[in-house]
Amino acid sequence: MSAILMAMLSGASRVDCVLSPTYAPHYDSFARMLESIAQHASDADAVKVFNVVDDEAAVAAFEARHAKWACAAHGKCFATPLTMERLLPAFGSTPAAMDAELARAVREGRFWERKRQHQALKKLYGVRGVRAQCYRVWVLDSESLALRNFSFASIFDDWFAKPAGLRRKSHPAPTRNLFSDSRDALCSKVIARSQNLTAAAVAA
């Protein structure tokens, strides 16, 4: 699944955020994404970056592989890790309950590819988890890259100024998600624009 989601949240904070779900096979890609943000974003320090993984073991594995992006290496986190093992109980669920429900959904034919289910849930629970900290959030797949200089502020402002005008009816897969300026929002999908997160959709 290749998708970029944007949402305006109800949090009191005016901080814009980037959230990316990832897992072991994509750790190198996520590290490249962080490198590209640090290199090309003129306002990288003004944006909070979050990554969603399964558990603390996954956090440790990523930081061991990419020590440059470990939270301790900066005194503060360039990318703050969130774990599903903490997010799920915060919203009345557990990893075991989630796995049981996903297994039932597969048996009933409601899902067709298991890895996409987990990535979608990481995106949705991640957005719920950061809503008190973020004003607006951009959810990027961990393979995303910035290829030229850009400003997060201008991307967020341009998107929410006219979201419907920046949408494509079809997303040409398998296209790598690239971000650099507002034109890259063409491969995006608005999931909510009200002050409350009222709807969620994942673009295939």
Side-chain angles (χ1 to χ4, degrees):
M1 177 173 55
S2 179
I4 307 173
L5 313 179
M6 278 194 169
M8 185 174 289
L9 305 180
S10 57
S13 171
R14 298 294 296 188
V15 175
D16 289 326
C17 299
V18 172
L19 184 141
S20 179
T22 191
Y23 69 128
H26 286 182
Y27 286 169
D28 292 348
S29 296
F30 181 62
R32 286 192 292 269
M33 185 181 92
L34 296 179
E35 191 71 54
S36 74
I37 290 174
Q39 178 181 353
H40 292 292
S42 62
D43 53 355
D45 290 341
V47 173
K48 288 185 177 181
V49 180
F50 297 90
N51 63 303
V52 186
V53 295
D54 288 332
D55 50 34
E56 293 298 330
V59 175
F62 172 77
E63 293 188 346
R65 186 176 180 89
H66 296 284
K68 177 178 179 178
W69 303 111
C71 292
H74 298 277
K76 66 175 184 177
C77 297
F78 187 86
T80 301
L82 304 173
T83 66
M84 289 296 282
E85 69 180 0
R86 290 181 179 270
L87 288 170
L88 288 167
F91 297 104
S93 187
T94 65
M98 181 188 73
D99 286 342
E101 175 58 25
L102 289 177
R104 185 166 70 89
V106 170
R107 290 195 302 273
E108 294 174 357
R110 290 188 279 126
F111 285 117
W112 62 275
E113 191 173 353
R114 190 169 181 79
K115 72 174 184 178
R116 299 186 184 225
Q117 305 161 23
H118 280 96
Q119 291 301 88
L121 287 168
K122 285 178 180 177
K123 293 174 182 180
L124 299 178
Y125 275 97
V127 169
R128 293 181 74 184
V130 303
R131 61 185 176 183
Q133 303 179 58
C134 305
Y135 175 55
R136 300 175 295 190
V137 62
W138 187 2
V139 182
L140 287 168
D141 287 340
S142 56
E143 310 97 305
S144 303
L145 290 172
L147 297 184
R148 56 191 182 274
N149 294 340
F150 72 99
S151 161
F152 278 113
S154 65
I155 289 177
F156 278 105
D157 291 345
D158 289 350
W159 172 264
F160 285 105
K162 193 178 180 182
L166 294 173
R167 252 191 313 178
R168 276 185 184 165
K169 292 183 179 179
S170 62
H171 182 89
T175 301
R176 179 183 294 276
N177 288 331
L178 307 176
F179 63 93
S180 56
D181 62 23
S182 59
R183 287 185 293 277
D184 293 316
L186 287 169
C187 285
S188 303
K189 189 175 184 70
V190 173
I191 61 172
R193 194 166 183 252
S194 67
Q195 287 300 309
N196 294 298
L197 185 61
T198 56
V202 176

